């Protein structure tokens, strides 16, 4: 039986150099191949034209390049693009390109399905199948960068880990992907243009702080009252708000980086002044920004967007307490590409 070939992109640069030395070649060959794999995002060994035919064949015999494939691309009337991405084992994830006048943001997935169980999120209805590998995350970014150049005539400018999955439950692979995205041999993007969004895994937030990462952190809070938060995000029972807050304080003390909170206001759930006041108490320990995002219905009757008076009340209370607030409209709703709508529907 033929043994399964290894994914060459699972190798670090040093491992690739060692591999060439073990084949009686020069370590430098490893650098060349690495540049093809990451800098040029090569799909095949064929393309590696500065490598001899024999060496390319030898690589072919030993390895595969498990590239993602954009199976389907949908364009929204507002310019948003959603990619359905097929992985080497035929599982599908989604990523989204969000254009504005000045930016192109890629919203990428970190897991197939999601480990968490937020009641208002379509992705939560999919079972978590597996974590994405660093190269599968990287490829989503490259695909969106290419689309941005093609359709908007400019490179990708920002990345948010707000697609499918909980990035901090695939911590090592997400960090490895960001390492590739930011390294000069990869895309050379500034980490300040990358935001990792989490539902709040305290231990991992502390670990990230200790690693002194340079990207930004966003927390999907939605309520600063334990009872309410647990009712809509049941894992809050395991990671209660006091632990989350302590981890965020630690994060801020280490990074001095402003924290963004994502927050949906639902009628009858968290639309009262006491909810806004609890939010102020929760986040005022550090410079914070609250993004109030519009609720995107996911086809059940449990949740309804709060009315504009409730949003004004939040804005007023937060601003009075020196907290920056933005109220954002969703993009890409007509193609199910908006926050919380990614569920491999088409
Ligand atoms: N698991 C991570 C990454 C997903 S980000 C996290 O929770 O942060 C997706 C964002 O969309 C989160 O802020 C999530 O709370 C929000 N969201 C989920 N379902 C939504 C919906 N139906 N409408 C609006 N926002 C939603």
């Amino acid at each position: 039986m033929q043994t399964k070939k290894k994914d060459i992109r699972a190798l670090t640069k040093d491992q690739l150099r060692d591999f060439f030395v073990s084949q009686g070649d020069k370590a430098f060959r490893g650098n060349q191949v690495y540049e093809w794999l990451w800098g040029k995002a090569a799909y095949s060994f064929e393309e590696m034209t500065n490598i001899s035919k024999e060496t390319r064949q030898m690589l072919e015999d030993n390895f595969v390049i498990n590239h993602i494939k954009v199976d389907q691309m949908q364009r929204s009337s507002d310019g948003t693009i959603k990619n359905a991405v097929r992985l080497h084992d035929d599982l599908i994830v989604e990523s989204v390109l969000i254009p504005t006048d000045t930016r192109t943001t890629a919203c990428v997935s970190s897991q197939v399905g999601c480990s968490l169980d937020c009641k208002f999120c379509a992705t939560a209805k999919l079972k978590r199948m597996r974590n994405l590998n660093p190269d599968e995350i990287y490829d989503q970014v490259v695909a969106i960068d290419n689309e941005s150049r093609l359709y908007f005539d400019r490179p990708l400018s920002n990345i948010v880990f707000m697609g499918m999955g909980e990035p901090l439950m695939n911590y090592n692979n997400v960090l490895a992907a960001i390492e590739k995205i930011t390294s000069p041999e990869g895309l050379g993007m500034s980490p300040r243009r990358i935001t990792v969004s989490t539902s709040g895994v305290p231990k991992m937030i502390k670990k990230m702080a200790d690693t002194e990462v340079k990207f930004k952190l966003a927390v999907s809070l939605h309520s600063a009252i334990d009872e309410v938060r647990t009712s809509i995000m049941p894992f809050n029972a395991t990671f209660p708000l006091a632990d989350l807050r302590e981890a965020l304080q630690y994060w801020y003390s280490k990074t001095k980086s402003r924290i963004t909170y994502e927050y949906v206001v639902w009628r009858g759930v968290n639309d009262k002044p006491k909810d806004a006041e609890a939010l102020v108490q929760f986040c005022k320990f550090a410079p914070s920004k609250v993004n109030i995002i519009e609720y995107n219905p996911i086809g059940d009757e449990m949740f309804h967007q709060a009315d504009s008076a409730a949003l004004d009340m939040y804005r007023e209370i937060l601003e009075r307490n020196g907290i920056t607030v933005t109220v954002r409209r969703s993009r890409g709703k007509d193609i199910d590409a908006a926050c919380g709508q990614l569920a491999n529907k088409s």
Side-chain angles (χ1 to χ4, degrees), residues 48-98:
M48 304 182 179
T49 43
N50 60 350
I51 310 285
S52 77
K53 245 185 139 145
E54 296 72 44
T55 306
R56 279 185 266 159
Q57 186 56 51
M58 182 276 289
L59 289 172
E60 192 81 54
D61 294 341
N62 285 281
F63 297 105
V64 286
I65 304 176
N66 278 338
H67 242 290
I68 64 160
K69 200 168 136 251
V70 177
D71 243 15
Q72 199 195 16
M73 190 196 100
Q74 284 174 279
R75 290 192 80 177
S76 159
S77 52
D78 67 19
T80 302
I81 294 176
K82 181 169 83 171
N83 291 333
V85 166
R86 185 176 294 275
L87 309 172
H88 66 91
D89 51 3
D90 280 339
L91 291 171
I92 308 269
V93 291
E94 293 176 334
S95 20
V96 183
L97 177 161
I98 307 150

Side-chain angles (χ1 to χ4, degrees), residues 97-134:
L97 177 161
I98 307 150
T100 66
D101 289 345
T102 51
R103 294 173 169 197
T104 302
T105 300
C107 174
V108 297
S109 294
S110 56
Q111 298 180 314
V112 188
C114 188
S115 335
L116 301 178
D117 47 9
C118 306
K119 297 256 197 266
F120 46 81
C121 180
T123 307
K125 309 226 180 303
L126 307 173
K127 195 165 104 232
R128 188 200 77 99
M129 305 292 286
R130 69 171 173 87
N131 286 336
L132 294 187
N133 297 325

Side-chain angles (χ1 to χ4, degrees), residues 265-331:
V265 188
W266 290 283
R267 195 195 306 157
V269 175
N270 57 354
D271 59 349
K272 299 284 175 307
K274 70 168 180 6
D275 297 293
E277 275 145 20
L279 173 59
V280 169
Q281 291 310 316
F282 186 88
C283 63
K284 71 174 185 190
F285 69 89
S288 305
K289 179 176 160 195
V290 174
N291 273 340
I292 298 192
I293 51 185
E294 192 184 0
Y295 175 56
N296 301 304
I298 57 161
D300 65 36
E301 285 301 297
M302 262 180 68
F303 294 97
H304 300 276
Q305 167 72 44
D307 54 29
S308 54
L311 302 188
D312 291 344
M313 177 274 290
Y314 262 90
R315 188 197 285 280
E316 200 273 311
I317 292 180
L318 290 165
E319 281 179 350
R320 195 187 333 127
N321 285 280
I323 297 164
T324 310
V325 200
T326 59
V327 180
R328 277 194 312 191
R329 285 197 62 77
S330 267
R331 309 282 307 269

Side-chain angles (χ1 to χ4, degrees), residues 11-303:
L11 270 59
T12 62
K13 194 193 223 172
D14 282 342
Q15 288 168 331
L16 207 50
R17 286 166 58 91
D18 290 347
F19 171 77
F20 277 100
V21 173
S22 76
Q23 297 290 311
D25 203 335
K26 297 202 173 56
F28 171 69
R29 200 76 60 223
N31 297 24
Q32 288 178 310
V33 171
Y34 194 86
E35 161 66 13
W36 277 106
L37 292 173
W38 296 106
K40 302 201 179 89
Y43 268 69
S44 69
F45 297 113
E46 282 285 319
E47 293 167 50
M48 304 182 179
T49 43
N50 60 350
I51 310 285
S52 77
K53 245 185 139 145
E54 296 72 44
T55 306
R56 279 185 266 159
Q57 186 56 51
M58 182 276 289
L59 289 172
E60 192 81 54
D61 294 341
N62 285 281
F63 297 105
V64 286
I65 304 176
N66 278 338
H67 242 290
I68 64 160
K69 200 168 136 251
V70 177
D71 243 15
Q72 199 195 16
M73 190 196 100
Q74 284 174 279
R75 290 192 80 177
S76 159
S77 52
D78 67 19
T80 302
I81 294 176
K82 181 169 83 171
N83 291 333
V85 166
R86 185 176 294 275
L87 309 172
H88 66 91
D89 51 3
D90 280 339
L91 291 171
I92 308 269
V93 291
E94 293 176 334
S95 20
V96 183
L97 177 161
I98 307 150
T100 66
D101 289 345
T102 51
R103 294 173 169 197
T104 302
T105 300
C107 174
V108 297
S109 294
S110 56
Q111 298 180 314
V112 188
C114 188
S115 335
L116 301 178
D117 47 9
C118 306
K119 297 256 197 266
F120 46 81
C121 180
T123 307
K125 309 226 180 303
L126 307 173
K127 195 165 104 232
R128 188 200 77 99
M129 305 292 286
R130 69 171 173 87
N131 286 336
L132 294 187
N133 297 325
D135 44 290
E136 292 169 327
I137 297 170
Y138 184 83
D139 286 354
Q140 293 176 64
V141 173
V142 171
I144 290 186
D145 185 35
N146 289 337
E147 288 168 349
S148 181
R149 289 168 198 271
L150 185 64
Y151 296 108
F152 301 95
D153 221 7
R154 61 185 186 213
L156 175 68
S157 59
N158 297 73
I159 302 173
V160 293
F161 280 79
M162 296 187 188
M164 295 172 154
E166 169 49 52
L168 296 195
M169 294 202 165
N170 184 18
Y171 180 84
N172 290 339
N173 290 352
V174 166
L175 257 68
I178 292 176
E179 174 61 35
K180 290 270 156 43
I181 293 164
T182 52
S183 90
E185 281 153 333
L187 297 179
M189 260 180 91
S190 161
R192 304 301 302 161
R193 293 175 171 275
I194 302 177
T195 301
V196 170
S197 176
T198 177
S199 288
V201 188
K203 198 174 77 193
M204 302 318 281
I205 292 173
K206 285 186 177 166
K207 190 166 172 183
M208 236 166 34
D210 285 333
T211 313
E212 293 181 12
V213 297
K214 297 283 180 295
F215 51 77
K216 295 186 187 162
L217 178 65
V219 178
S220 302
L221 196 64
H222 304 307
S223 174
I225 300 173
D226 268 316
E227 196 190 346
V228 178
R229 195 166 193 258
T230 301
S231 74
I232 55 177
M233 302 170 83
F235 72 91
N236 184 71
T238 318
F239 306 125
L241 286 164
D243 295 358
L244 175 58
R245 190 164 189 274
E246 196 229 330
L248 292 172
Q249 272 172 319
Y250 186 72
W251 161 270
Y252 185 70
S253 73
K254 287 265 178 180
T255 63
K256 294 281 176 283
S257 163
R258 178 172 84 166
I259 302 164
T260 298
Y261 296 93
E262 293 150 275
Y263 204 98
V264 178
V265 188
W266 290 283
R267 195 195 306 157
V269 175
N270 57 354
D271 59 349
K272 299 284 175 307
K274 70 168 180 6
D275 297 293
E277 275 145 20
L279 173 59
V280 169
Q281 291 310 316
F282 186 88
C283 63
K284 71 174 185 190
F285 69 89
S288 305
K289 179 176 160 195
V290 174
N291 273 340
I292 298 192
I293 51 185
E294 192 184 0
Y295 175 56
N296 301 304
I298 57 161
D300 65 36
E301 285 301 297
M302 262 180 68
F303 294 97

